[in-house]
Amino acid sequence: MKPDRLKRYSLLQELSSRGVRMTGQRKVLVELIQESEDHLDAATLLERARQRDPGINRATVYRTIELLKRLRLIDELDLMRLNGEKHFYEARTNVDHVHLACFECGKVEEFSSPLFERLKQEITRVNGFTIRVTRLEVGGRCRSCCAQVRTPIECGEETCCKSLKNLNC
Amino acid sequence: MKPDRLKRYSLLQELSSRGVRMTGQRKVLVELIQESEDHLDAATLLERARQRDPGINRATVYRTIELLKRLRLIDELDLMRLNGEKHFYEARTNVDHVHLACFECGKVEEFSSPLFERLKQEITRVNGFTIRVTRLEVGGRCRSCCAQVRTPIECGEETCCKSLKNLNC
DNA sequence: AATCAATTTGCAACTCGATGTCAACTGAAA
DNA sequence: TTTCAGTTGACATCGAGTTGCAAATTGATT
């Protein structure tokens, strides 16, 4: 399933329906997360927010992220530490999905599948575990990078990670 | 599948077979990771290592972790930030498995399933993605906590997270 | 056993994402 | 419009992880 097939929650709507106070700063931040095509980290979010409200503070960004996370309106991602320690955020979707992070080019694809839903059901059934959040991240080499690069991914090869850091590979 | 059904790689063996220089510090660290029942973070690993070799340094711990990660001999986990920003490590297993982190009691269960393997195959087939590492973490409430606690997990309830921090819930 | 280049370690300073504190401010209910 | 709990900005602080470099160690070679 393509990313654009995934439905994102309307954050503003959810917030107001839950009686959360809507400040100017929150509105800007929430809109940015909602609109964003890519996965935002806190620093990028701050940077973009300052273009709309120059006075906005870093702490507010983190506090808003915290709020949205607690309300389960956004998901937090690591993207296999493709870009270091940062965390990334996205508006929640109606269906959980996998993030495929390419160690070669850094691209991140999204993928959802009924198999994932079945796996979740199995977890609940077999372990008696009530699932609240899931995070499935996969690291490797995307289709176009596989086509370009001759050498297969080899364990321990220095060459396989090239310029990227913290690859887990 | 129970954790003890998962086979872990023998780290020392793998390292020597790949011609990695074996220093005293590495031996201690690698043995500790191998022996450990639970998932170790860097600080805990350092602490335990110092009981065997008091002079061992923090930087060495991180460098060894980095080495093992690059050689794909250990996996890195977040455990849904159950305990803050720390990363956790475990010797790789023959089969990928899910980590189920209970937000209530902090317990971490492991679970592997053919469905997970099928999902991985599907990812490869549909997306043309060559998988190198996977990380599937699930947060929620474990069986015994579900039995104890009356209230279901509710979005935005302050009570659902209680003393634990950074719950993503 | 002694030699030696290459690798690894310890140390300490540093980076950087994230959090805590507190006075000042503000959204929205009355 | 007033009121005040909730929110923000400023700034200090935290803590996990990294880095540069001199000294120490490894293990292959003689």
Side-chain angles (χ1 to χ4, degrees):
Chain A
M1 198 183 278
K2 287 284 163 43
D4 54 16
R5 302 276 298 281
L6 295 168
K7 283 188 199 131
R8 312 261 172 203
Y9 288 132
S10 165
L11 302 180
L12 275 175
Q13 211 167 302
E14 289 289 332
L15 287 173
S16 81
S17 80
R18 299 192 201 186
V20 174
R21 180 189 288 188
M22 189 47 58
T23 66
Q25 295 90 329
R26 276 188 189 160
K27 192 149 170 294
V28 168
L29 293 168
V30 160
E31 283 171 353
L32 282 169
I33 294 173
Q34 188 87 67
E35 295 165 10
S36 178
E37 294 292 324
D38 43 356
H39 300 100
L40 292 174
D41 63 297
T44 308
L45 183 54
L46 173 61
E47 192 187 326
R48 294 193 189 171
R50 281 191 166 151
Q51 291 169 8
R52 302 192 184 180
D53 174 356
I56 208 163
N57 192 273
R58 196 157 53 103
T60 303
V61 172
Y62 283 107
R63 284 187 286 234
T64 304
I65 286 171
E66 167 82 15
L67 174 73
L68 295 169
K69 245 169 50 177
R70 288 184 77 90
L71 293 168
R72 289 210 294 172
L73 295 175
I74 58 173
D75 275 324
E76 184 178 65
L77 315 168
D78 272 10
L79 301 182
M80 292 317 263
R81 302 184 69 190
L82 211 62
N83 291 294
E85 295 289 325
K86 288 195 272 276
H87 292 112
F88 297 86
Y89 303 92
E90 65 177 8
R92 270 218 160 206
T93 48
N94 56 334
V95 182
D96 280 342
H97 55 277
V98 189
H99 287 96
L100 311 177
C102 178
F103 288 144
E104 210 70 39
C105 67
K107 194 175 64 185
V108 176
E109 296 171 63
E110 297 183 334
F111 177 70
S112 69
S113 158
L115 272 176
F116 191 16
E117 298 306 313
R118 283 180 58 196
L119 177 58
K120 283 162 57 186
Q121 284 166 21
E122 190 186 37
I123 288 167
T124 300
R125 193 178 65 246
V126 175
N127 298 279
F129 196 94
T130 304
I131 295 177
R132 192 171 167 82
V133 230
T134 68
R135 189 189 298 166
L136 172 48
E137 301 188 340
V138 173
R141 187 174 280 169
C142 72
R143 175 176 276 130
S144 58
C145 286
C146 282
Q148 281 172 30
V149 186
R150 294 291 121 227
T151 55
I153 296 184
E154 291 288 341
C155 308
E157 292 284 316
E158 290 296 332
T159 53
C160 82
C161 298
K162 288 195 282 195
S163 57
L164 297 173
K165 290 175 61 189
N166 296 322
L167 289 191
N168 228 2
C169 86
Chain B
M1 197 184 279
K2 287 284 165 39
D4 53 17
R5 303 274 296 282
L6 297 168
K7 282 188 201 132
R8 313 260 171 203
Y9 288 131
S10 166
L11 303 180
L12 275 176
Q13 212 168 301
E14 288 290 332
L15 287 173
S16 82
S17 82
R18 299 192 201 186
V20 173
R21 181 183 288 189
M22 189 48 58
T23 66
Q25 295 90 327
R26 276 187 187 161
K27 191 147 173 292
V28 168
L29 292 169
V30 160
E31 283 171 353
L32 282 170
I33 294 173
Q34 188 87 65
E35 296 165 7
S36 179
E37 295 291 323
D38 42 359
H39 300 100
L40 292 174
D41 62 297
T44 309
L45 182 55
L46 174 61
E47 192 186 327
R48 294 193 189 171
R50 281 192 165 149
Q51 291 169 8
R52 301 192 184 180
D53 176 354
I56 208 162
N57 192 273
R58 198 158 51 102
T60 303
V61 171
Y62 283 107
R63 284 189 282 235
T64 303
I65 286 171
E66 167 82 14
L67 174 74
L68 294 170
K69 245 169 48 177
R70 289 184 76 90
L71 293 169
R72 288 211 294 172
L73 296 175
I74 57 174
D75 275 323
E76 183 178 65
L77 315 168
D78 271 10
L79 301 182
M80 292 317 263
R81 302 184 69 188
L82 212 60
N83 292 294
E85 294 288 325
K86 291 194 271 276
H87 293 113
F88 296 86
Y89 302 92
E90 65 177 10
R92 269 218 160 206
T93 48
N94 56 334
V95 183
D96 279 343
H97 54 279
V98 190
H99 288 95
L100 312 176
C102 178
F103 288 144
E104 210 71 39
C105 66
K107 195 175 63 185
V108 176
E109 296 170 62
E110 296 182 335
F111 177 69
S112 70
S113 157
L115 273 177
F116 191 15
E117 298 307 312
R118 283 180 59 195
L119 177 56
K120 282 162 57 185
Q121 283 166 21
E122 191 186 34
I123 288 168
T124 301
R125 193 178 64 246
V126 174
N127 298 281
F129 195 95
T130 304
I131 296 177
R132 191 171 168 83
V133 229
T134 68
R135 190 189 297 167
L136 172 47
E137 303 188 340
V138 173
R141 188 174 279 166
C142 72
R143 176 176 273 130
S144 57
C145 286
C146 283
Q148 281 172 31
V149 185
R150 293 294 118 223
T151 56
I153 296 183
E154 292 288 340
C155 309
E157 293 283 315
E158 289 297 332
T159 52
C160 83
C161 298
K162 289 196 283 196
S163 57
L164 297 173
K165 291 175 61 190
N166 297 323
L167 287 191
N168 227 3
C169 87

